[in-house]
Amino acid sequence: MAGPTATVQNSPPLVTSNKARQKYGLPVRKNHDGSDARFDALRAQRLAAPAKVYVECFSAHPLEADAAELYGPPDGYLDARNVFHKERTSPKDKAVFEIDILPDDGLYPLPYMARKSDGAAWEGECTEPGAPASQARQSFYPDGSRSFEEIDRLGIGSAGIGNLISSFADVDFYRVLPPAGYTKGLPASRRTDVGEGDIPPETRSKDFFAYRPYHLGEAPPRPALARLTNAARRIFDSNQYDGAIYTQGSPQIEEIAYWFNLLIDTTIPICGNAAQRPQGEISNDGPKNITDSVEYIASRVWADEQGRNRAGVIVLQEQRFFAAREVMKVDARPGGYVATGGHGGILGGVGYHGAAVLHYVPALKHTYLSEVNLSRIPSSVPVVSSSDGTIKRSETRIRQDNGDLLESAIPSVPIVKDGGFYAEEYFDDPAISADLVALLARKLETNRLAGFVIEGTTPYGKMTSSVRQRVLRKAIYSGLPVVRVGRGNPEGFADPDEYFIAGSNLTATKARMLLMACLLKFGSLPPASNPDEPTSAELSAIKTAVAAYQKIFDTH
């Protein structure tokens, strides 16, 4: 399943090779000191026709010739004019292997020969630095088929062999919220993903979401989460797969992995994969993450006695299995992931030669056990809204008749931070709450499911500003639930409260996803007619509603 901004499905810019520059009379690329570049950077490409090539014997490794007596004879010899002979004609003849390479063989690393329409060389993704989208190419792949093919064709395992994916699995590819798109459309006959009919022309930042070229990058907005969830639900409801791999940009994979963990009702494993370096770049980490995920699914270490997934959704990075609830990216380098919360989170791993090993399983509810998965979410829930200062509570539809989430139903939940020395002056300073007051008013005006996550001090999520806390308490009395969590990666648990939801040891981003899922299940809290002065009966109703939220936070 191809998700947005996925470096694991991205390649470095296609730069015109020096072989092309020399052929077409263009200035060649030089080293930083002005000297000639020794090699061309090769790109995986397809042959248009069969070709016969001669490979020099003993050239695969500097010490092959040191064990020459262990080798069989060559296919023949090339003389001084590069004419092939079955037998040696001169002591200076070069021993070679004769190979017929075919288009059907798959991709080959070759010099990149393309130029721009004006005849100049390509130096990056755009015709010029900072060019508009109409003058930009895409470096992300439109689905996973190309990156999987490159890995399967060119990737080499520790035993020196390839086919690291196809030897384990047959793979179908879905564009659930892809990182690249067909801006001119694509006929059905050329599709590499699972789908019917032609793909119509697609628009950047609406149909697909990429971060490169960097000046055109954009992440998907809130409504796109419904599109992603609905596409994933239909895939899992088909009951035709043994497991799934979901790819997304490394800064966001942790959020959607947890969202799937909460909402997707499935008993098969889901592996989240990302990469810190693009496909084809030196030391790129994505291919290993993907092949490890395939091996993890095939190993069935995740299966309980009934064959159901007992590990929940995982994020597999750098040979470690992270529980979706606890994984967090902390640095933009391979290995830059940690388990949050201070109580585990790394469930197992894959060795270089051994099978996948699962040491622990989550104690909290996930996927088919989740109380907020799509099978347990109603078709409508109550929502609060404000008009002319009056708060009302009405029903809002969140699912279509076919079970899909409506884009308008995805809750709007901001993360509010609090820290020391917040007030501008001594004693109460209402001015520091102006942003929260405006944000609360805006949330109530939209007639949309909404709430707040407050990231306070560690570990208990307390706020240092009593003025700002009063605004959030008013939000609760207005029908908007508020979750408290500690700052950063809290190892302690947020304290329970009658009105504020305790976010356990979740990070703010994970608490936001869980609050959004709870809003889809329960809807808004019952509001007070006057949030500044709620009655005892109104407070009792709010406490009861908050307790239902709290039960989910305590078990998911």
Side-chain angles (χ1 to χ4, degrees), residues 4 9 24 66 121 123 133 182 205 286 346 391 393 434 447 453 496 508 514 524 532 542 544:
Q9 287 183 221
Y24 299 115
D66 191 62
E123 303 292 358
Y182 301 98
S205 302
I346 298 178
I391 298 177
R393 194 177 190 224
N447 192 35
V453 172
L514 183 51
S524 302
D532 291 314
I542 293 171
T544 300

Side-chain angles (χ1 to χ4, degrees), residues 245-304:
I245 294 174
Y246 172 74
T247 57
Q248 186 169 342
S250 54
Q252 298 93 31
I253 186 71
E254 62 200 61
E255 295 169 71
I256 297 303
Y258 187 44
W259 181 257
F260 283 167
N261 202 56
L262 297 170
L263 267 77
I264 300 299
D265 184 1
T266 184
T267 59
I268 67 171
I270 305 174
C271 299
N273 282 159
Q276 307 282 27
R277 294 171 181 156
Q279 183 108 334
E281 186 175 309
I282 187 171
S283 192
N284 56 318
D285 51 319
K288 178 62 173 170
N289 294 334
I290 287 175
T291 57
D292 282 350
S293 289
V294 174
E295 291 193 38
Y296 170 79
I297 293 169
S299 74
R300 296 191 63 81
V301 297
W302 45 267
D304 65 13

Side-chain angles (χ1 to χ4, degrees), residues 4-16:
T5 63
T7 300
V8 72
Q9 287 183 221
N10 188 22
S11 71
L14 297 172
V15 177
T16 302

Side-chain angles (χ1 to χ4, degrees), residues 289-372:
N289 294 334
I290 287 175
T291 57
D292 282 350
S293 289
V294 174
E295 291 193 38
Y296 170 79
I297 293 169
S299 74
R300 296 191 63 81
V301 297
W302 45 267
D304 65 13
E305 293 178 352
Q306 288 76 43
R308 300 170 303 186
N309 177 27
R310 59 193 175 125
V313 178
I314 67 165
V315 172
L316 199 160
Q317 295 291 122
E318 295 294 316
Q319 299 178 248
R320 297 186 293 177
F321 314 149
F322 292 88
R325 184 183 184 275
E326 276 82 28
V327 64
M328 181 172 72
K329 178 178 177 177
V330 294
D331 195 5
R333 59 175 174 81
Y337 287 80
V338 300
T340 63
H343 302 278
I346 298 178
L347 305 181
V350 176
Y352 280 102
H353 302 286
V357 177
L358 192 68
H359 290 291
Y360 308 102
V361 295
L364 300 180
K365 295 182 179 181
H366 59 79
T367 53
Y368 71 98
L369 299 171
S370 170
E371 296 294 333
V372 290

Side-chain angles (χ1 to χ4, degrees), residues 406-474:
L406 293 165
E407 289 191 350
S408 59
I410 299 298
S412 177
V413 177
I415 297 173
V416 179
K417 288 184 69 72
D418 191 71
F421 305 96
Y422 223 106
E424 297 291 332
E425 302 294 342
Y426 291 102
F427 307 111
D428 287 348
D429 183 7
I432 67 168
S433 65
D435 60 328
L436 277 183
V437 171
L439 189 56
L440 172 57
R442 175 59 183 160
K443 297 302 177 190
L444 291 172
E445 290 171 358
T446 59
N447 192 35
R448 180 182 296 153
L449 293 172
F452 290 87
V453 172
I454 170 62
E455 186 182 270
T457 57
T458 297
Y460 309 114
K462 295 289 182 64
M463 300 181 67
T464 64
S465 168
S466 59
V467 177
R468 293 173 69 80
Q469 180 162 304
R470 282 198 295 271
V471 176
L472 290 180
R473 188 173 291 270
K474 182 177 179 179

Side-chain angles (χ1 to χ4, degrees), residues 176-178 206-209 223-232 407:
V176 293
L177 197 66
K206 180 179 180 294
D207 300 306
F208 61 93
F209 299 89
L225 187 56
R227 176 177 148 201
L228 169 61
T229 307
N230 294 333
E407 289 191 350

